[in-house]
């Protein structure tokens, strides 16, 4: 059994009852629940590194973390067959604990042994989010109150899509971010869309190399401003070019936001990607 192995986990969670991903004194977090589940099984303190720290109430279907397991921890997470079985046993063992400690709100979807140079945060090529809105009272479903934003005002989805597309590319998204000291607000928005589904709900999809703090929710807020008619077409792009966060900034609630997926290069390129990202960015905050 190898002395130390790096493992990547893909997980989903309902963020309703958590104060975000990151540990916070006195408040439940997804990170805390996951690390406590690891301790319950291994009796070792194992820290996880996440692809993107989600805010309070934000959900995930495809969040990714990495962690390092010493030989003793590997042995406790497997049955008899050694490290080769980690990819099968880790999800099963962790999910058994999380069903009790997190009431099923966190689910490990898969585990994969990765090279030592893989970094869940810095090796990522992109993150993808979806925000869901209901703007028609006949479609309001109280069972969706935890993952849908309900609005009284009808929205022009075509106008919202046009605004989203106007933001594509590599830009300084300062107008759409909550800046952090020493962190860049330059991001590459790679894909954007807004469309109404057969269920009547509007889904806004955004994909970027990374999102700075509150970027997704502030972009969605601006799209809604135009879609509702409160702002003229082109306003989202004007906000981008203004490069200022002021009283006109609108940020929507976090509960309707889902981190859908994180994309990575092939394993043999993951260390190079991580080094490149560290060289140009000091803080990859997700929304």
């Amino acid at each position: 059994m190898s002395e130390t192995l790096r493992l990547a986990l893909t997980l989903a969670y309902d963020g309703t009852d958590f104060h975000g991903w990151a540990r916070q004194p006195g408040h439940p977090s997804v990170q805390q629940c996951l690390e406590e589940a690891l301790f319950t099984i291994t009796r070792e303190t194992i820290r996880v590194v996440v692809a993107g720290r989600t805010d309070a109430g934000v959900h995930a279907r495809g969040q990714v973390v990495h962690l390092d397991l010493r030989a003793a921890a590997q042995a406790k997470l497997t049955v008899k067959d050694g490290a080769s079985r980690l990819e099968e046993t880790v999800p099963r063992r962790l999910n058994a604990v999380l069903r009790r400690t997190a009431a099923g709100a966190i689910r490990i979807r898969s585990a994969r042994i990765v090279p030592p140079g893989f970094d869940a945060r810095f090796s990522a090529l992109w993150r993808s989010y979806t925000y869901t809105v209901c703007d028609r009272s006949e479609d309001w479903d109280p069972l969706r109150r935890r993952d849908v934003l309900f609005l009284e005002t009808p929205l022009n989805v075509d106008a919202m899509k046009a605004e989203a597309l106007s933001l594509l590319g590599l830009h300084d998204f300062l107008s759409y971010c909550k800046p952090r000291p020493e962190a860049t607000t330059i991001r590459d928005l790679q894909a954007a869309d807004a469309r109404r589904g057969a269920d009547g709900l509007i889904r806004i999809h955004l994909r970027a190399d990374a999102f700075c703090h509150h970027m997704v929710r502030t972009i969605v807020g601006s799209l809604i401003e135009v879609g509702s008619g409160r702002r003229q077409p082109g306003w989202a792009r004007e906000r981008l070019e203004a490069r200022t966060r002021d009283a006109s900034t609108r940020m929507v609630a976090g509960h309707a936001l889902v981190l859908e997926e994180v994309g990575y290069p092939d394993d043999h390129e993951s260390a190079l990607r991580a080094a490149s990202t560290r060289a140009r960015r000091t803080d990859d905050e997700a929304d």
Side-chain angles (χ1 to χ4, degrees):
M1 186 175 293
S2 176
E3 182 176 347
T4 302
L5 278 178
R6 178 157 292 189
L7 204 63
L9 305 180
T10 301
L11 61 151
Y13 50 84
D14 176 347
T16 303
D17 298 324
F18 297 107
H19 285 249
W21 164 265
R23 280 181 173 268
Q24 300 179 51
H27 298 290
S29 71
V30 182
Q31 180 184 13
Q32 176 187 346
C33 284
L34 179 56
E35 290 179 346
E36 288 181 352
L38 285 164
F39 181 83
T40 296
I41 298 170
T42 67
R43 313 314 294 178
E44 292 187 15
T45 299
I46 299 171
R47 292 289 178 245
V48 300
V49 176
V50 71
R53 287 175 281 176
T54 49
D55 281 345
V58 176
H59 317 291
R61 287 192 180 91
Q63 179 70 278
V64 178
V65 303
H66 81 251
L67 56 124
D68 293 324
L69 296 175
R70 298 191 305 168
Q74 294 172 39
K76 292 176 180 176
L77 282 162
T78 55
V79 184
K80 296 179 180 179
D81 297 353
S84 62
R85 299 254 349 246
L86 276 173
E87 294 175 332
E88 300 173 23
T89 60
V90 167
R92 185 168 69 247
R93 299 290 304 280
L94 284 175
N95 285 331
V97 175
L98 290 167
R99 278 196 297 272
R100 301 191 305 269
T101 60
I106 305 173
R107 180 78 178 175
I108 308 302
R109 298 176 59 186
S110 65
R112 184 170 68 91
I113 297 172
V114 293
F118 175 91
D119 189 292
R121 176 185 176 191
F122 288 114
S123 294
L125 295 172
W126 48 264
R127 287 91 167 158
S128 174
Y129 282 87
T130 298
Y131 197 94
T132 306
V133 181
C134 178
D135 65 333
R136 303 191 301 206
S137 60
E138 63 269 25
D139 295 323
W140 284 23
D141 181 352
L143 299 183
R144 299 296 305 274
R145 69 192 186 281
R146 291 189 167 203
D147 67 344
V148 174
L149 177 68
F150 295 123
L151 296 178
E152 299 278 359
T153 306
L155 300 177
N156 182 331
V157 182
D158 290 337
M160 293 170 64
K161 180 174 182 176
E163 294 297 299
L165 291 174
S166 76
L167 303 177
L168 288 176
L170 183 67
H171 305 289
D172 186 343
F173 281 90
L174 176 61
S175 300
Y176 292 100
C177 297
K178 183 179 180 181
R180 293 181 181 273
E182 308 300 325
T184 181
T185 51
I186 296 174
R187 296 291 188 264
D188 181 16
L189 186 62
Q190 302 168 351
D193 190 25
R195 63 182 61 195
R196 191 183 299 277
D199 56 3
L201 301 180
I202 300 169
R203 291 176 176 85
I204 299 162
H205 301 281
L206 299 172
R207 189 186 77 204
D209 58 343
F211 291 92
C212 43
H213 199 208
H214 291 166
M215 179 174 161
V216 177
R217 291 162 60 192
T218 307
I219 289 177
V220 172
S222 295
L223 301 185
I224 290 174
E225 286 290 294
V226 177
S228 66
R230 290 189 292 267
R231 300 284 183 174
Q232 293 299 310
W235 185 71
R237 179 72 188 197
E238 291 174 6
R239 291 290 304 154
L240 176 70
E241 294 174 352
R243 294 179 58 195
T244 182
R245 190 177 178 92
D246 55 27
S248 63
T249 299
R250 296 288 183 267
M251 185 174 71
V252 291
H255 73 279
L257 182 61
V258 179
L259 172 59
E260 297 284 358
E261 188 178 4
V262 184
Y264 291 94
D266 293 338
D267 281 348
H268 69 277
E269 298 177 343
S270 59
L272 183 61
R273 169 65 182 181
S276 174
T277 305
R278 287 191 184 95
R280 61 188 172 85
R281 182 174 299 134
T282 58
D283 197 350
D284 273 350
E285 282 299 328
D287 214 304

